[in-house]
């Protein structure tokens, strides 16, 4: 079988994507003769298209699935997408806005139809892109978090929670997005630093000329204050706790209360308490039985507590209230102040904490169990450092606000009995998985469903078992076989939003963990370490990289940088280097295939020489390192180990050494070395296949003359019979000698085509036989014409010296270079470097430069100076070699 001269990644990728899908290479059915290994994909939002974060996450999952499949597991990787709740609804609302319409113009039913239409047309874009990435998903099992199976699971779970008394409806302080008009959970709020002000306001003490100074960042909410709080340990306010003060602008009497949550270092140590609009204030109010007054409504406007500010936006009300405080003499001073402000994670609008009637899920007991399985390492984190923040968050978790005031999502399966005017009757709410025909309490057929939908993460939390039809049949065989899954691969940003919730749900409904391992990777940053964003203009599009450098290059560049838990810096140079690696593999394979020709080569390596044993030993150690790395999700270690083995040990050393026998007229000798080359090449591309599947499958098909995918072969296994420690040590001696000779050739500007004479003085007698027995290797790789080995060799004039462990290599330079011309060149170069050195010294001796220049610039100049000193030392040492 022939190979193209140049590796055509586009052609190869198109071929194998089609093959894997058409042949259902990654389809899976329960097989009790094999162990299962399952991954459920973190379902991307239907609004999304492939970005670098997806490329990283899905390449890593694919590498794991392929590795486990080659280890003999019955693997399954379940694909799917998430309906995305607020994010997806926002997309369709924007499309309507372009038509001059709102969702209210359509009404709920028609708007939902529009949502489904949009989802059908564009919602699978990212799944098609994952196919191009080479992801080994079982496409026949594709799920959507609002498909029938997932919807049944959600309704079943809600009813079970409700019947158990864990779901309740109540009015509580929630995070509210005025733009999206919905509640958000605590972990859906992103905090951003903002510059603002700290206003110092006088609160008069009743029946006194004294006042209490309160500092606040939100004067617009002060008309809803129901107390001022101080820390009981604050000596400044010992005598004021319990006193009555007068609320400025309003005139309402409120009390001073003592609470340990108050930060004595903030402002004056006395803080206003507005329970309806601050989470801390809400907790203070609960402890002290304070009244709760709502100042801001769901649209972000002021309520009617004070007529003057009624209907104003919170921002306008702030300006007016500050002006009124100033006018009435209550404002003492204003300071600049930087603080964190909560933003909606989907639209970026500033969050407004408000009191709202919502559905909540009690999570205390679920959280304890979810925390304990991590502490017991039934769920293991990679890296382990993420276990502590995970358990800490669960140990302090409050009840989950699960309702959202949007239309797109799983509508809450609660029904109300209503009269002919649509008013709720006195009958209790009805919670059923299917819409009831009549009220079970009174027989009335007029029923309406609750308007709210469930938080997107509610359905996502059930993903590891909802994809296996738990909602319809919780005892089905597929669920029993594939659950729990093997590993969840995810970024740390959804550790709380999703990972913890899945563990809670899995333990609650299946009494088992949803996955055994959690592999947390970092995020992809640009070459400067900055997070990629459109505003910065530093986004790298993986689809463009795949087109320019090849998909294997994209995958390998990401894999070798994917140290668990750590962010990575990546640039076009990373992908270029990975493409060069693919080309290196292709060229080496082509060289081997061309030399093989029509020869029949043994499947078992025929070991003859030192180099054969050395490369088999290195190959065997590579198997051990790579296998272990895959098993603990150090895919970066696996990638770098393979790179080093293939590029350096196999190509640069062994293939070069093999050329001595490959050019031999002795056919048996040629077949012998080819047996080793092909054996190692096949095994190496097996190890590489999980990371670079396209080139691996192509080479596998060529060298085996098969159409079968490489993932159906077995992953190489470490073999004690391939341990050649003594030979590896001997080869290390040869490599050091050759490397030192090559360094001399480079430093002395000896032509690469020139053959040289080399004398090796043996200082360590125990290594004499190693050099003597392997002269052919040293001569071939060092391009040596005459090699002399001895114990009493003396250094000649105009010879270069190289030192290795136990040896000195002497290389006569006469006739190889014009020594006088070379000396003149070196002296000139030293002179130029000294001039450069003086320039740097002058800059660094200037106090203005050192004090005013950026620190990184000063450091750069200092490094440049150090480099010049190192260069001069090297050149001067070279001159001495010519003069001795």
């Amino acid at each position: 079988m022939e190979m193209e001269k140049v590796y055509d990644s586009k052609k190869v990728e198109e071929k194998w994507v089609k093959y894997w899908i058409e042949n259902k290479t990654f389809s899976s059915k329960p097989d009790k003769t094999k162990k299962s290994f399952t991954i459920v994909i973190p379902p991307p939002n239907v609004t999304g298209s492939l970005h670098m974060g997806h490329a990283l996450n899905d390449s890593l999952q694919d590498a794991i699935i392929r590795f486990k499949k080659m280890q003999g597991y019955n693997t399954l990787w379940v694909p799917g997408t998430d309906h995305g709740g607020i994010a997806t609804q926002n997309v369709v609302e924007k499309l309507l806005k372009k038509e001059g319409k709102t969702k209210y113009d359509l009404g709920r039913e028609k708007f939902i139809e529009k949502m489904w239409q949009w989802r059908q047309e564009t919602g699978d874009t990212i799944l098609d892109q994952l196919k191009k990435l080479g992801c080994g998903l079982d496409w026949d099992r594709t799920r959507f978090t609002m498909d029938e199976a997932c919807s049944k699971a959600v309704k079943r779970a809600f009813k079970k929670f409700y019947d158990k008394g864990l779901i309740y409806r109540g009015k509580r302080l929630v995070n509210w997005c005025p733009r999206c008009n919905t509640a958000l959970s605590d972990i859906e709020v992103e905090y951003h630093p903002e510059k603002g002000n700290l206003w110092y306001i006088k609160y008069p003490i009743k029946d006194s000329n004294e006042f209490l100074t309160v500092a606040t960042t939100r004067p617009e909410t002060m008309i809803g204050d129901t107390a001022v709080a101080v820390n009981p340990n604050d000596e400044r306010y010992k005598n004021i706790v319990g006193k009555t003060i007068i609320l400025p602008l309003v005139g309402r009497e409120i009390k001073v209360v003592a609470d340990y949550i108050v930060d004595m270092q903030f402002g004056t140590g006395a803080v206003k308490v507005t329970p309806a609009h601050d989470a801390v204030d809400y907790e203070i109010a609960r402890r002290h039985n304070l009244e709760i007054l709502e100042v801001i409504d769901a649209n972000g406007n002021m309520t009617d507590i004070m007529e003057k500010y009624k209907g104003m936006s919170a921002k306008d009300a702030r300006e007016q209230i500050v002006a009124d405080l100033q006018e009435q003499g209550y404002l003492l001073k204003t300071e600049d102040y930087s603080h964190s402000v909560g933003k909606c994670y989907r639209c970026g609008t500033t969050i407004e904490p408000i009191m709202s009637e919502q559905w909540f899920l009690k999570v205390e007991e679920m959280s304890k169990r979810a925390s304990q399985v991590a502490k017991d390492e039934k769920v293991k984190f990679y890296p382990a450092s993420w276990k502590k923040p995970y358990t800490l968050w669960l140990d302090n978790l409050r009840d989950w606000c699960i309702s959202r005031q949007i239309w797109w999502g799983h509508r809450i399966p609660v029904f109300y009995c209503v009269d002919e005017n649509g008013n709720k009757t006195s009958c209790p709410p009805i919670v059923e998985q299917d819409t009831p025909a009549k009220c079970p309490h009174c027989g009335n057929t007029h029923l309406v469903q609750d308007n709210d939908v469930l938080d997107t993460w509610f359905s996502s939390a059930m993903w590891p078992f909802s994809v296996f039809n738990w909602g319809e049949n919780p005892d089905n065989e597929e669920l029993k076989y594939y659950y729990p899954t093997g590993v969840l691969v995810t970024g740390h940003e959804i550790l709380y939003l999703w990972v913890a919730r899945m563990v809670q749900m899995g333990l609650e409904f299946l009494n088992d963990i949803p996955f055994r391992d959690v592999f947390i990777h970092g995020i992809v940053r640009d070459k400067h370490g900055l997070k990629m964003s459109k505003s910065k203009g530093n986004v790298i599009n993986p689809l463009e990289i795949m087109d320019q450098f090849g998909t294997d290059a994209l995958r390998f560049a990401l894999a070798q940088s994917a140290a668990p838990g750590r962010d990575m810096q990546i640039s076009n140079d990373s992908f270029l280097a990975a493409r060069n690696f693919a080309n290196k593999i292709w060229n080496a394979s082509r060289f081997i295939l061309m030399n093989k020709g029509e020869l029949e080569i043994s499947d078992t390596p025929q070991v003859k020489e030192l180099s054969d044993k050395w490369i088999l030993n290195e190959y065997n150690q590579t198997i051990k390192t790579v296998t272990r790395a895959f098993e603990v999700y150090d895919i970066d270690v696996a990638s770098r180990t393979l790179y080093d083995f293939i590029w350096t040990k196999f190509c640069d050393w062994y293939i070069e050494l093999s050329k001595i026998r490959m050019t031999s007229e002795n056919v048996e000798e040629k077949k012998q070395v080819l047996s080793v080359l092909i054996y190692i090449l096949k095994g190496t591309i097996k190890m590489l296949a999980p990371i670079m599947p396209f080139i691996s499958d192509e080479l596998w098909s060529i060298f085996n003359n098969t159409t079968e995918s490489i993932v159906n072969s077995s992953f190489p296994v470490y073999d004690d019979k391939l341990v050649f420690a003594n030979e590896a040590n001997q080869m290390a001696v040869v490599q050091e000698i050759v490397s030192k000779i090559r360094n001399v050739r480079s430093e002395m500007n000896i032509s690469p085509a020139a053959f040289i004479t080399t004398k090796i003085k043996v200082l360590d007698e125990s290594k004499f036989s190693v050099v003597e027995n392997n002269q052919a290797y040293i001569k071939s790789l060092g391009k040596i014409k005459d090699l002399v080995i001895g114990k009493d060799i003396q250094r000649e004039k105009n010879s270069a010296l190289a030192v290795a462990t136990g040896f000195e290599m002497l290389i006569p330079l006469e006739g190889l270079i014009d020594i006088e011309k070379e000396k003149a060149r070196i002296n000139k170069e030293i002179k130029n470097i000294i001039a450069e050195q003086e320039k740097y010294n002058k800059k660094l001796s200037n106090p203005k430069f050192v004090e005013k220049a950026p620190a990184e610039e000063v450091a750069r100049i200092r490094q440049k100076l150090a480099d010049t000193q190192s260069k001069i030392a090297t050149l001067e040492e070279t001159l001495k070699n010519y003069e001795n």
Side-chain angles (χ1 to χ4, degrees):
M1 197 169 185
E2 292 186 1
M3 283 178 68
E4 299 284 345
K5 188 173 182 180
V6 177
Y7 177 52
D8 186 342
S9 59
K10 288 188 177 70
K11 183 178 176 183
V12 169
E13 287 163 20
E14 186 178 337
K15 168 186 171 181
W16 286 104
V17 165
K18 184 180 180 184
Y19 175 92
W20 295 327
I21 293 172
E22 288 182 354
N23 288 274
K24 299 186 184 295
T25 303
F26 296 96
S27 67
S28 180
K29 293 179 180 178
D31 180 354
K32 292 183 180 179
T33 65
K34 287 184 177 182
K35 281 187 177 181
S36 69
F37 186 90
T38 315
I39 298 179
V40 290
I41 197 170
N45 197 322
V46 285
T47 61
S49 61
L50 193 71
H51 59 60
M52 205 52 87
H54 293 131
L56 169 66
N57 181 265
D58 293 306
S59 293
L60 294 176
Q61 289 177 82
D62 189 51
I64 295 165
I65 277 292
R66 288 172 181 269
F67 168 69
K68 289 293 184 181
K69 185 175 178 66
M70 294 176 76
Q71 278 196 318
Y73 287 87
N74 182 11
T75 57
L76 171 62
W77 186 14
V78 181
T81 50
D82 192 280
H83 63 280
I86 297 169
T88 311
Q89 180 162 316
N90 284 348
V91 168
V92 177
E93 284 191 70
K94 285 177 183 175
L95 293 174
L96 285 175
K97 190 175 181 180
K98 289 179 181 178
E99 300 174 13
K101 297 177 183 177
T102 70
K103 64 180 181 181
Y104 300 107
D105 293 325
L106 273 68
R108 184 166 192 150
E109 190 176 329
K110 291 291 183 185
F111 179 76
I112 295 299
E113 286 179 15
K114 183 86 172 174
M115 292 289 304
W116 276 105
Q117 180 187 343
W118 180 89
R119 182 259 179 275
Q120 295 298 333
E121 292 170 358
T122 65
D124 288 337
T125 298
I126 194 165
L127 296 183
D128 293 334
Q129 292 166 342
L130 290 180
K131 292 173 184 175
K132 291 180 182 178
L133 189 62
C135 292
L137 291 145
D138 185 345
W139 296 106
D140 292 337
R141 292 177 177 271
T142 302
R143 288 295 190 196
F144 175 54
T145 53
M146 278 177 62
D147 66 17
E148 186 177 357
C150 292
S151 292
K152 284 181 177 179
V154 167
K155 291 173 184 176
R156 181 185 183 87
F158 188 96
K159 180 165 174 56
K160 279 183 164 291
F161 277 135
Y162 187 85
D163 291 346
K164 200 174 176 180
L166 295 178
I167 285 180
Y168 64 94
R169 189 163 174 82
K171 192 168 188 179
R172 237 179 57 179
L173 188 74
V174 298
N175 302 298
W176 186 267
C177 176
R179 153 68 184 81
C180 298
N181 274 117
T182 185
L184 301 173
S185 66
D186 290 344
I187 46 179
E188 291 174 309
V189 179
E190 295 179 345
Y191 288 89
H192 300 272
E194 275 192 11
K195 291 181 179 179
N197 295 109
L198 193 60
W199 287 272
Y200 289 78
I201 304 166
K202 295 193 296 186
Y203 280 55
I205 299 171
K206 184 181 179 183
D207 299 330
S208 164
N209 293 324
E210 297 177 352
F211 57 84
L212 186 60
T213 303
V214 173
T216 182
T217 59
R218 300 203 62 193
E220 69 274 19
T221 64
M222 65 176 291
I223 58 175
D225 289 359
T226 53
V228 167
V230 297
N231 192 297
N233 291 329
D234 197 330
E235 294 293 334
R236 294 171 293 179
Y237 302 117
K238 286 284 186 185
N239 299 324
I240 206 168
V241 175
K243 288 195 174 182
T244 301
I245 55 179
I246 309 300
L247 183 59
L249 304 183
V250 182
R252 187 169 68 250
E253 293 184 1
I254 58 178
K255 293 284 186 183
V256 178
V257 298
D259 199 289
Y260 285 104
I261 203 169
V262 177
D263 180 2
M264 291 187 284
Q265 305 304 314
F266 175 77
T268 64
V271 296
K272 58 195 267 329
V273 180
T274 320
H277 300 286
D278 183 273
V280 172
D281 293 4
Y282 181 73
E283 294 301 321
I284 293 173
R286 289 177 63 186
R287 285 192 287 271
H288 297 273
N289 296 315
L290 301 177
E291 186 180 6
I292 297 175
L293 300 174
E294 296 174 46
V295 177
I296 299 172
D297 65 18
N299 296 313
N301 298 326
M302 303 298 284
T303 63
D304 59 1
I305 282 190
M306 284 190 73
E307 191 64 33
K308 179 174 184 179
Y309 310 117
K310 179 183 175 183
M312 284 186 180
S313 69
K315 182 183 176 184
D316 291 343
R318 173 182 292 185
E319 293 176 4
Q320 186 60 57
I321 286 171
V322 168
D324 290 347
L325 288 168
Q326 178 80 51
E327 183 184 337
Q328 295 182 35
Y330 290 114
L331 187 63
L332 282 175
K333 62 175 179 176
T334 305
E335 289 179 349
D336 291 338
Y337 186 73
S338 294
H339 59 140
S340 292
V341 176
K343 304 282 184 179
C344 173
Y345 80 121
R346 287 303 185 192
C347 71
T349 302
T350 298
I351 290 301
E352 189 60 64
I354 67 169
M355 297 297 295
S356 179
E357 192 83 21
Q358 300 288 340
W359 289 96
F360 294 92
L361 174 62
K362 296 177 184 178
V363 295
E364 185 177 359
E365 288 305 315
M366 286 195 293
S367 296
K368 286 178 183 176
R369 292 185 70 191
S371 177
Q372 195 59 48
V373 291
K375 292 171 183 175
D376 295 341
E377 298 211 332
K378 291 177 181 175
V379 173
K380 292 185 72 173
F381 285 85
Y382 296 84
S385 56
W386 280 105
K387 180 172 80 170
K388 187 173 180 180
Y390 165 88
T391 55
L392 189 64
W393 183 77
L394 280 168
D395 292 345
N396 293 279
L397 192 58
R398 298 187 304 173
D399 288 356
W400 179 10
C401 175
I402 57 173
S403 49
R404 299 291 181 268
Q405 289 65 54
I406 57 174
W407 290 351
W408 176 244
H410 292 279
R411 196 164 176 181
I412 288 177
V414 175
F415 303 86
Y416 304 102
C417 177
V418 296
D419 60 26
E420 58 273 11
N421 297 317
N423 298 313
K424 291 180 185 176
T425 67
S426 58
C427 294
I430 308 149
V431 178
E432 293 293 344
Q433 290 175 241
D434 300 316
T435 304
K438 61 183 180 179
C439 174
H441 308 291
C442 70
N444 181 17
T445 56
H446 296 291
L447 302 174
V448 295
Q449 190 171 355
D450 195 284
N451 280 320
D452 290 351
V453 300
L454 286 162
D455 177 8
T456 312
W457 297 102
F458 189 95
S459 52
S460 299
M462 303 172 62
W463 187 246
F465 53 91
S466 66
V467 298
F468 296 116
N469 290 310
W470 174 84
E472 189 167 353
N473 180 8
D475 296 317
N476 74 78
E477 290 304 312
E478 286 206 335
L479 182 58
K480 289 177 182 177
Y481 182 74
Y482 291 116
Y483 187 96
T485 65
V487 62
L488 176 78
V489 182
T490 184
H492 57 77
E493 68 276 7
I494 52 174
L495 178 65
Y496 312 127
L497 276 167
W498 190 43
V499 179
R501 302 294 193 195
M502 282 190 284
V503 179
Q504 288 177 322
M505 292 280 203
L507 291 169
E508 175 69 22
F509 294 121
L510 283 88
N511 199 33
D512 201 352
I513 53 175
F515 29 73
R516 299 177 190 90
D517 298 332
V518 180
F519 168 28
I520 296 178
H521 56 75
I523 62 171
V524 185
R525 298 181 179 273
D526 70 10
K527 62 182 178 182
H528 304 294
L530 299 173
K531 192 173 181 179
M532 293 185 188
S533 70
K534 290 179 182 177
S535 61
K536 290 190 187 112
N538 64 345
V539 172
I540 300 175
N541 185 338
L543 296 169
E544 292 175 4
I545 297 299
M546 290 156 66
D547 184 62
Q548 185 177 355
F549 298 101
T551 302
D552 278 336
L554 169 76
R555 291 172 58 122
F556 186 82
L558 291 170
Q560 72 170 345
S561 302
R566 278 191 235 151
D567 292 349
M568 64 189 70
Q569 292 173 226
I570 210 152
S571 67
N572 273 15
D573 290 342
S574 312
F575 306 119
L576 178 60
R579 184 180 67 184
N580 291 343
F581 180 46
N583 289 337
K584 183 88 169 179
I585 297 165
W586 185 263
N587 292 337
S589 303
R590 187 168 179 271
F591 168 79
I592 294 167
L593 192 69
M594 285 172 63
N595 279 279
K596 175 185 177 295
E598 300 300 320
L599 293 174
E600 290 291 326
I601 306 299
S602 169
D603 290 333
T604 305
Q606 307 301 303
V607 181
K608 180 182 178 184
E609 296 187 2
L610 171 70
S611 62
D612 299 334
K613 291 181 178 179
W614 166 74
I615 195 64
L616 286 165
N617 184 77
E618 293 298 323
Y619 166 72
N620 202 34
Q621 290 300 319
T622 300
I623 292 171
K624 179 188 268 188
T625 303
V626 169
T627 302
R628 175 61 183 161
F630 270 120
E631 285 173 345
V632 296
Y633 312 111
D634 285 334
I635 296 173
D636 58 318
V637 172
S639 304
R640 290 195 296 272
T641 301
L642 285 165
Y643 183 94
D644 179 57
F645 176 77
I646 294 169
W647 192 294
T648 306
K649 295 170 183 173
F650 186 60
C651 294
D652 289 356
W653 285 99
Y654 187 72
I655 287 181
E656 288 304 309
L657 287 167
S658 74
K659 288 177 180 177
I660 302 170
R661 283 174 281 172
M662 206 86 80
T663 54
S664 170
E665 292 182 5
N666 185 331
V667 175
E668 290 306 312
E669 194 169 14
K670 188 173 184 179
K671 288 169 70 175
Q672 177 270 318
V673 73
L674 278 165
S675 74
V676 179
L677 282 164
I678 293 172
Y679 175 81
I680 288 175
L681 177 67
K682 285 182 178 181
T684 303
I685 60 173
K686 279 185 180 184
M687 287 189 275
L688 193 67
I691 301 165
M692 300 177 77
F694 294 102
I695 193 170
S696 299
D697 248 332
E698 185 67 10
L699 291 174
W700 183 255
S701 69
I702 290 170
F703 275 85
N704 289 282
N705 195 23
T706 181
T707 58
E708 189 73 22
S709 174
I710 196 170
V711 294
N712 292 321
S713 66
S714 298
F715 200 83
V717 178
Y718 180 80
D719 187 352
D720 288 331
K721 294 174 186 174
L722 296 182
V723 176
F724 300 105
N726 185 47
E727 287 82 355
N729 290 333
Q730 291 180 46
M731 191 64 192
V733 172
V734 173
Q735 287 177 305
E736 186 181 9
I737 290 170
V738 170
S739 296
K740 295 291 184 180
I741 293 170
R742 285 174 170 175
N743 288 343
V744 169
R745 294 184 67 111
S746 175
E747 289 169 8
M748 299 301 175
N749 291 318
I750 297 171
S751 167
F755 280 84
I756 62 175
T757 296
T758 302
K759 298 178 180 181
I760 300 179
K761 183 177 181 179
V762 182
L763 305 175
D764 183 346
E765 195 169 342
S766 67
K767 295 180 179 178
F768 193 99
S769 61
V770 177
V771 182
E772 193 171 46
N773 295 337
N774 294 288
Q775 292 183 54
Y777 292 162
I778 296 170
K779 290 176 75 172
S780 173
L781 296 174
K783 295 205 93 172
I784 297 169
K785 175 178 59 178
D786 297 312
L787 180 64
V788 180
I789 304 166
K791 300 175 186 176
D792 301 313
I793 295 171
Q794 300 300 313
R795 185 175 184 183
E796 302 171 12
K797 186 182 178 183
N798 293 329
S799 66
L801 170 69
V803 179
T805 308
F807 303 95
E808 286 181 357
M809 280 76 71
L810 301 164
I811 303 171
L813 299 173
E814 290 285 354
L816 289 174
I817 60 173
D818 184 330
I819 291 175
E820 292 305 316
K821 188 176 179 181
E822 182 65 8
K823 283 163 70 175
R825 184 192 69 79
I826 291 174
N827 278 313
K828 184 179 179 182
E829 190 172 347
I830 289 173
K831 188 178 178 181
N832 290 336
I833 293 171
I834 288 171
E836 189 181 351
Q837 199 176 55
E838 288 173 356
K839 184 177 70 174
Y840 297 139
N841 272 321
K842 188 176 179 181
K843 269 195 169 186
L844 291 170
S845 63
N846 182 352
K848 289 184 179 178
F849 172 76
V850 176
E851 291 170 12
K852 295 185 178 180
E856 57 268 26
E857 177 63 11
V858 176
R860 189 181 71 84
I861 296 298
R862 285 193 173 125
Q863 184 59 52
K864 287 276 188 184
L865 179 61
D867 291 345
T868 61
Q869 292 164 343
S870 176
K871 286 177 186 176
I872 290 171
T874 302
L875 291 169
E876 287 177 343
E877 185 63 31
T878 304
L879 275 179
K880 286 179 185 177
N881 286 337
Y882 292 146
E883 292 163 0
N884 290 341

